[in-house]
Amino acid sequence: MEAQRIAVDAVVALTDCDRDAVTAFIRKLYLAGVRDPKRLTFKGLQALRA
């Protein structure tokens, strides 16, 4: 759960995206098995910057 919080905080800070949208996306990745905060942040940035 800490990994999710770190990733959400980082993506929101870097993109100013909606926190709820970022949280939902990161949670999907986390439930899919991604547990590394750096990987969650990277994938979140890739998806939400587009």
Side-chain angles (χ1 to χ4, degrees), residues 6-21:
I6 292 167
V8 168
D9 290 345
V11 173
V12 168
L14 293 169
T15 64
D16 289 328
C17 286
D18 179 54
R19 187 171 203 68
D20 291 333

Side-chain angles (χ1 to χ4, degrees), residues 12-42:
V12 168
L14 293 169
T15 64
D16 289 328
C17 286
D18 179 54
R19 187 171 203 68
D20 291 333
V22 173
T23 301
F25 185 79
I26 297 294
R27 185 167 293 138
K28 284 184 209 174
L29 290 174
Y30 189 82
L31 292 174
V34 180
R35 298 288 192 261
D36 178 32
K38 291 179 190 173
R39 178 66 60 190
L40 287 169
T41 301
F42 179 73

